[in-house]
Amino acid sequence: MSGDAYADAPKRLEDDPLLRGRGRFIDDIALPGMLEAAFVRSPHAHAAIAGIDAEAARAVPGVHAILTRDDILPYLETEFLVVGLPSSAYKQQRDRPALAGAETVHVGEPIAVVIADNRYIAEDAAQMVMVDYDILPAASDCRDSLADGAPPVHAGAEDNLLAEFDIGYGDTDSAFAAADHTFSEDFHIHRGGSHSMECRGAVSAYDPATDQLTLWVSSQMPHSTLRVLVDMLGRNENQIRVATPDIGGGFGPKLVVYPEDVVLCIAALKLARPVKWIEDRREHFIATTQERDQSWTVDVAFGDDALIKGIRGVMVHDHGAFTARGINLPQNSAESLPGIYHVPHYRMNVKLALTNKVPVTPVRGAGHPQANFVLERVFDRIARELGLDRNEVRLRNMIGPEEMPFERPLKTRGGLPVTLDSGDYPKCQRTVAERIGWDEFPGRQKAAHADGRYIGIGLANFVKGTGRGPFEAVTVRVGTSGRIHVYTGATAMGQGTKTMLSQVVAEVLGGDIANVTVTTGDTAATALGIGTSNSRSTVTAGTSAHVAAGKVRDKALAVASALLDVPAADLEIAGDEVRPKGGPGQIANIKVTLGEIAHAVSGTPGYSLPAGIDAGMEATEHVILDSPAYASGAVAAEVEVDVETGGVRILNYVIALDSGRIINPMISAGQALGGTAHGIGNSLFERMAYDENAQPLTTNFADYLLITAPEMPRVDVWFEESPSPLNPLGVKGVGENGVVPAPGAVIAAIEDALSPFAVRITQAPISPPEILALIEAARGQG
Amino acid sequence: MADTRKITCTVNGTEHSVEVETRLTLADMLRRELNLTGTHLGCEHGVCGACTVLVDGRSARACLMLAVQADGAAVDTVEGLAPSEDALHPLQDAFRDHHGLQCGFCTPGMLMTLKELLADNPDPSEDEVRVAISGNLCRCTGYQGIVDAALDAAQRLRNGEGS
Ligand code: FES
Ligand code: FES
């Protein structure tokens, strides 16, 4: 899409201050008397802590306090962050402590905190805190950590199996026995980070006069932070406020509650001074959650007709050292594996392996990219074995639009059936194939090969459950100033949430988005918020906003009807006033502003409200949306591989995206593009490497590569709009869709480019040296 | 133990004399001493470009420069880009029109890098824009909106807007 296509999309309300350098990010908060914190972190993946000597550090001028586990325990009801989503599959409970005690289990785990006049001094002193470690053997790779004799991640544990479950349906054994063809293949998808350009951070403040503790935090889910703080600090919800300033990107890891949040609150309580902590990038590499390490062994049964008869296998998921979220990621992976295809029999055994690495929680895509990669690679292999076109094989197995809603005999983590609600999958695939020139490609490829150029093409389809319920809270209120205020538990981290909600509310309340103010992610403004994750805000908050705004509109019309003596049915809201339908006409002076309406119902002592009208111009909604709305689509990539260097250049990239009704095409395309960039990174660049002792090897942006502008192709974004029947707006989430199918398509294109060497790629990402090694191996055989 | 120096530099056209610790970075001086928090820190090791400012008209990483090195220099930051409260610089306008920002965290560095590019090369190609911002990381946009904004801003500036 080009700029012109955005002509009708309202410009973002967020942009002006951000463009002027007037955003208020967490590090921009400066309170009077504020101190700054630096954490002492474990340099070892696994060690016993024999003692901590902070004397020298305490003596540094400007240091106000150094807190270790012993110092914070008096402030804690429990020292553990108990956050795991419920499941019966757990075999071990492994909650993070606020600060490590007798043992540390990953590099980066917080052990103590230094509070000083400023960060420079705090970091100096943190260096001087002496921790006495007895190094223990560490489990690094999830594939090894479940083996007999692997070192236990937590000393004294019998093994490293955190949880295990089976998922599936049908009778795979009979399906395999009867199939024309079967194969088995191993796949590995590697760990990466989210790397929002703003790292984490928080500011805590305690006011003894009001007994009020406030935590401003760069978090996607301030309401869950509040709940954890209530549990751990033994304070009630009225004594704690958690609020989010502008957030410089989230992408998953900021939905987690972290030990640093808790420790910072305790520091403010103890010192009665505000305390700020801003994570640096190295800390982000070692202390912020990551995702994606999964190892799959998949057996596939299929017929001469290329139809899949059954899929079964085993998947090992790297969980990291602690449970910081739950078993949701491998659940997402295993549940989403069948994708948009008919898979008549399916069974997957899933094991969650503890490792001595930073905990694993959702990163944009949340388990879906791995499963998508495995499945789309399976289709490419079937096509190759049968000598059929890769797209044809997919179409034969695909669920058609006439089959919607399509119920799969699988359950979500909440026990609901997996029901694909809407979408035209064949159309999305045809669209990308057409736009990238799929049918003509063999000719172009042949010509390129003749020139010594290796170009290839790949395609992947995807589906992703979005808008996870049960609800998001939204309050819509018209103030006596006439301004419309919207409060929501959803958080805004760059995806235009405020603009989106303003559009949804203005659509029913006068049409002027400039008259709407949106407050996101503040527990003092919204009681029952959930927060932003899983591409859920447009679906859940958008729906609640739509319904709440409708109620406020009905009330505005009822009050105006009483004030103007005109039937409500003959009135409309235009801009900030209510007037007779169809414009002023002959009764030009018959109108009343939203501000006057709010005044009329705000109550004056001793005077009655208009007859039959209750107080206030506001409505709060928590519209329940249990079943996810399934967004879907297809992508196609064309690449060129340099067989001398192993370098890959993406020449062309097309995405067709069905996120239902699109509220703002400019913002939605932006989400698709950002997700695609992340997904290409997951295909070619982003590898969070560890050595065999679980020491992280890539802890800066020179070693861990994010895609930059020259590597990023221009992406052709195409929207297919099949409205979801599950919500009144017809919307499905958009934030994560770009990331999911990218590795499947890019890796397939590389493999296709290297077809003269007949290489097979079963991992993501893949680096130039690995590509060269594959070519070398093929040449050796040839 | 703090070793301090008095420095004078001109920031966005205004002269400032500040007593700074010799180890204070230019970024921290701007953010902490002058309260110009538009200059962001995304890595503090010179790779992400979020902290990019212009020093005597040339882009520099404010995280890798000490404040004392800016003694006597003219520093331009994102706060100085817009001509007034009512108007934006053509680059800023183009960023808004082309969705060149999402979370806005990389934006100040992108804008300052592109300001330098367009001063040097008023009519860049798409590839030249991409190379110019190759030292600025953005996790949100996939760069396309930024590239489109830069090309459009170049056009607007050539047409005499914002001058
Ligand atoms: S903060 Fe200066 S380059 Fe990243
Ligand atoms: S807009 Fe968020 S990092 Fe660029």
Side-chain angles (χ1 to χ4, degrees):
Chain A
M1 298 196 45
S2 70
D4 298 344
Y6 304 154
D8 293 337
K11 302 294 180 250
R12 300 199 325 161
L13 301 172
E14 292 86 348
D15 287 353
D16 191 271
L18 293 172
L19 286 163
R20 292 176 185 270
R22 289 188 192 152
R24 300 311 291 168
F25 294 94
I26 188 71
D27 195 18
D28 303 340
I29 296 176
L31 300 176
M34 188 173 75
L35 303 172
E36 293 186 81
F39 281 84
V40 176
R41 298 182 183 279
S42 174
H44 302 296
H46 196 190
I49 298 176
I52 301 175
D53 178 359
E55 278 323 300
R58 272 202 185 96
V60 173
V63 169
H64 291 253
I66 295 178
L67 307 178
T68 63
R69 170 177 180 263
D70 289 345
D71 302 309
I72 63 169
L73 281 184
Y75 293 85
L76 290 167
E77 301 277 308
T78 163
E79 67 174 305
F80 295 104
L81 287 84
V82 183
V83 297
L85 300 172
S87 166
S88 58
Y90 292 108
K91 306 222 180 287
Q92 301 184 37
Q93 183 166 357
R94 295 296 176 188
D95 299 316
R96 291 161 298 163
L99 290 172
E103 183 185 23
T104 177
V105 292
H106 71 84
V107 172
E109 188 178 359
I111 291 173
V113 66
V114 179
I115 317 289
D117 282 337
N118 63 50
R119 182 169 152 194
Y120 287 70
I121 297 171
E123 288 187 2
D124 287 345
Q127 297 286 328
M128 295 165 67
V129 174
M130 301 312 237
V131 184
D132 189 2
Y133 297 103
D134 291 327
I135 297 174
L136 298 169
S140 183
D141 192 305
C142 66
R143 290 169 288 195
D144 304 328
S145 91
L146 294 180
D148 284 344
V153 168
H154 296 266
E158 242 162 61
D159 59 32
N160 294 322
L161 184 64
L162 178 103
E164 179 170 12
F165 60 91
D166 282 289
I167 192 167
Y169 51 83
D171 176 1
T172 45
D173 288 348
S174 312
F176 273 76
D180 302 325
H181 309 271
T182 63
F183 65 80
S184 179
E185 194 149 44
D186 295 335
F187 299 91
H188 190 75
I189 301 93
H190 204 74
R191 195 189 252 249
S194 77
H195 293 293
S196 51
M197 292 320 300
E198 178 200 43
C199 294
R200 289 185 294 132
V203 176
S204 58
Y206 176 64
D207 179 358
T210 57
D211 190 23
Q212 182 77 29
L213 176 69
T214 305
L215 183 73
W216 291 271
V217 57
S218 187
S219 166
Q220 298 170 224
M221 294 197 148
H223 287 81
S224 45
T225 306
L226 174 65
R227 284 191 283 272
V228 170
L229 291 176
V230 165
D231 289 347
M232 293 183 72
L233 299 176
R235 302 173 65 80
N236 70 45
E237 332 25 56
N238 267 335
Q239 296 168 309
I240 309 177
R241 171 186 170 210
V242 182
T244 56
D246 284 336
I247 299 177
F251 312 117
K254 287 184 183 174
L255 68 81
V256 176
V257 188
Y258 286 89
E260 293 90 343
D261 305 337
V262 180
V263 173
L264 223 62
C265 286
I266 295 173
L269 286 169
K270 188 176 167 84
L271 300 171
R273 286 183 61 175
V275 184
K276 177 195 275 188
W277 168 68
I278 300 298
E279 183 185 58
D280 70 22
R281 187 57 62 178
R282 182 181 142 76
E283 288 180 294
H284 194 78
F285 273 104
I286 60 177
T288 290
T289 56
Q290 306 168 347
E291 196 211 323
R292 302 246 203 277
D293 253 337
Q294 283 183 356
S295 223
W296 297 66
T297 299
V298 176
D299 301 335
V300 181
F302 59 103
D304 287 326
D305 51 7
L307 294 183
I308 292 216
K309 306 298 181 201
I311 296 179
R312 67 183 179 202
V314 183
M315 186 257 278
V316 177
H317 170 86
D318 177 1
H319 185 73
F322 290 116
T323 297
R325 182 68 175 164
I327 67 158
N328 54 314
L329 286 170
Q331 161 84 30
N332 286 351
S333 306
E335 174 191 313
S336 69
L337 183 106
I340 61 165
Y341 303 102
H342 292 284
V343 177
H345 305 277
Y346 172 57
R347 194 147 305 276
M348 197 59 57
N349 171 254
V350 179
K351 296 184 171 70
L352 283 73
L354 289 160
T355 56
N356 288 108
K357 295 191 282 197
V358 70
V360 168
T361 73
V363 169
R364 197 175 205 169
H368 294 82
Q370 298 95 313
N372 185 267
F373 178 72
V374 169
L375 182 68
E376 294 295 324
R377 296 273 58 214
V378 161
F379 277 108
D380 289 342
R381 171 144 177 192
I382 293 173
R384 189 168 68 170
E385 295 208 353
L386 295 177
L388 291 170
D389 176 69
R390 291 172 281 165
N391 283 1
E392 170 64 20
V393 169
R394 286 175 166 83
L395 283 174
R396 286 188 198 174
N397 284 280
M398 205 174 277
I399 296 163
E402 69 288 352
E403 295 177 81
M404 293 293 157
F406 182 86
E407 189 173 327
R408 215 183 265 294
L410 277 178
K411 299 258 189 282
T412 67
R413 72 181 185 222
L416 296 161
V418 171
T419 305
L420 305 176
D421 57 298
S422 56
D424 189 338
Y425 308 145
K427 185 168 174 201
C428 284
Q429 177 175 308
R430 276 198 302 273
T431 301
V432 295
E434 212 167 276
R435 293 177 84 84
I436 205 154
W438 185 273
D439 290 340
E440 306 81 63
F441 188 73
R444 278 199 285 144
Q445 187 180 39
K446 220 174 180 175
H449 280 167
D451 275 356
R453 290 177 57 230
Y454 292 83
I455 62 171
I457 198 168
L459 181 145
N461 294 298
F462 76 97
V463 64
K464 179 169 189 315
T466 68
R468 202 178 289 282
F471 63 82
E472 187 55 83
V474 175
T475 297
V476 176
R477 178 183 302 149
V478 179
T480 52
S481 63
R483 195 150 185 93
I484 301 165
H485 299 277
V486 178
Y487 302 89
T488 178
T491 50
M493 51 207 185
Q495 70 284 56
T497 306
K498 295 185 180 185
T499 303
M500 179 274 289
L501 288 176
S502 300
Q503 281 186 253
V504 169
V505 168
E507 194 172 48
V508 280
L509 269 175
D512 180 10
I513 67 167
N515 191 33
V516 183
T517 303
V518 181
T519 303
T520 55
D522 183 345
T523 63
T526 305
L528 254 189
I530 293 183
T532 294
S533 65
N534 187 242
S535 309
R536 70 189 299 274
S537 289
T538 302
V539 179
T540 57
T543 299
S544 291
H546 174 76
V547 175
K551 290 194 171 159
V552 172
R553 177 198 53 202
D554 292 348
K555 178 139 189 207
L557 295 178
V559 176
S561 164
L563 295 175
L564 299 174
D565 203 14
V566 174
D570 297 338
L571 295 171
E572 67 177 6
I573 306 178
D576 66 348
E577 55 189 37
V578 178
R579 62 183 192 192
K581 269 187 185 157
Q586 308 131 324
I587 35 177
N589 49 0
I590 299 190
K591 64 181 184 194
V592 56
T593 66
L594 288 174
E596 288 164 342
I597 292 171
H599 261 295
V601 290
S602 64
T604 306
Y607 295 85
S608 309
L609 292 174
I613 304 241
D614 54 3
M617 277 293 294
E618 75 172 75
T620 296
E621 282 296 328
H622 309 89
V623 178
I624 301 292
L625 297 170
D626 277 326
S627 297
Y630 284 87
S632 60
V635 300
E638 181 181 340
V639 306
E640 177 166 358
V641 182
D642 180 332
V643 298
E644 302 306 321
T645 65
V648 175
R649 203 154 62 89
I650 299 183
L651 304 174
N652 204 350
Y653 198 99
V654 185
I655 174 164
L657 183 59
D658 187 345
S659 283
R661 182 187 155 210
I662 294 295
I663 291 183
N664 187 315
M666 181 181 87
I667 291 176
S668 299
Q671 291 294 306
L673 290 166
T676 299
H678 194 153
I680 293 174
N682 287 157
S683 317
L684 299 175
F685 304 113
E686 295 190 39
R687 171 183 291 269
M688 184 66 212
Y690 292 82
D691 73 9
E692 66 279 7
N693 298 315
Q695 271 291 336
L697 300 175
T698 52
T699 57
N700 61 56
F701 282 147
D703 294 331
Y704 183 96
L705 303 179
L706 296 188
I707 193 166
T708 67
E711 294 94 49
M712 186 64 200
R714 182 162 282 278
V715 176
D716 174 15
V717 181
W718 182 259
F719 290 113
E720 167 70 22
E721 298 190 45
S722 326
S724 171
L726 301 177
N727 62 70
L729 295 171
V731 292
K732 312 177 217 178
V734 65
E736 296 171 284
N737 298 335
V739 78
V740 175
V746 171
I747 300 280
I750 296 171
E751 192 178 277
D752 185 45
L754 298 178
S755 50
F757 303 99
V759 305
R760 175 85 185 138
I761 306 174
T762 55
Q763 68 175 73
I766 188 154
S767 65
E770 289 168 325
I771 289 174
L772 281 184
L774 286 173
I775 295 172
E776 282 313 310
R779 279 183 170 142
Q781 280 167 13
Chain B
M1 65 180 193
D3 178 17
T4 65
R5 293 269 192 294
K6 177 136 183 164
I7 63 161
T8 302
C9 60
T10 302
V11 180
N12 300 329
T14 307
E15 193 176 284
H16 295 271
S17 287
V18 216
E19 182 89 20
V20 295
E21 270 193 55
T22 48
R23 66 171 174 172
L24 190 76
T25 64
L26 175 60
D28 280 345
M29 183 192 83
L30 293 169
R31 295 180 50 82
R32 290 163 179 250
E33 306 295 327
L34 305 183
N35 201 23
L36 293 171
T37 55
T39 299
H40 295 155
L41 292 165
C43 72
E44 295 168 89
H45 56 258
V47 183
C48 77
C51 65
T52 304
V53 298
L54 301 184
V55 177
D56 292 331
R58 283 292 153 207
S59 59
R61 315 239 140 175
C63 73
L64 290 188
M65 219 177 129
L66 294 170
V68 291
Q69 292 176 288
D71 192 13
V75 178
D76 289 305
T77 72
V78 68
E79 286 92 344
L81 205 49
S84 71
E85 285 298 311
D86 307 322
L88 294 171
H89 184 276
L91 261 171
Q92 293 168 313
D93 270 326
F95 263 61
R96 193 180 50 194
D97 291 348
H98 293 273
H99 200 23
L101 70 160
Q102 289 183 24
C103 77
F105 200 78
C106 70
T107 311
M110 288 285 182
L111 289 169
M112 299 317 285
T113 302
L114 287 168
K115 185 173 186 220
E116 179 187 44
L117 170 73
L118 298 187
D120 289 349
N121 179 358
D123 190 8
S125 67
E126 172 167 349
D127 282 348
E128 286 169 334
V129 169
R130 287 184 182 270
V131 169
I133 59 168
S134 64
N136 293 73
L137 299 176
C138 174
R139 192 54 148 173
C140 297
T141 63
Y143 303 104
Q144 195 154 309
I146 296 171
V147 171
D148 290 341
L151 294 169
D152 186 19
Q155 175 82 48
R156 293 180 196 207
L157 285 162
R158 288 199 303 279
N159 293 346
E161 258 180 65
S163 55

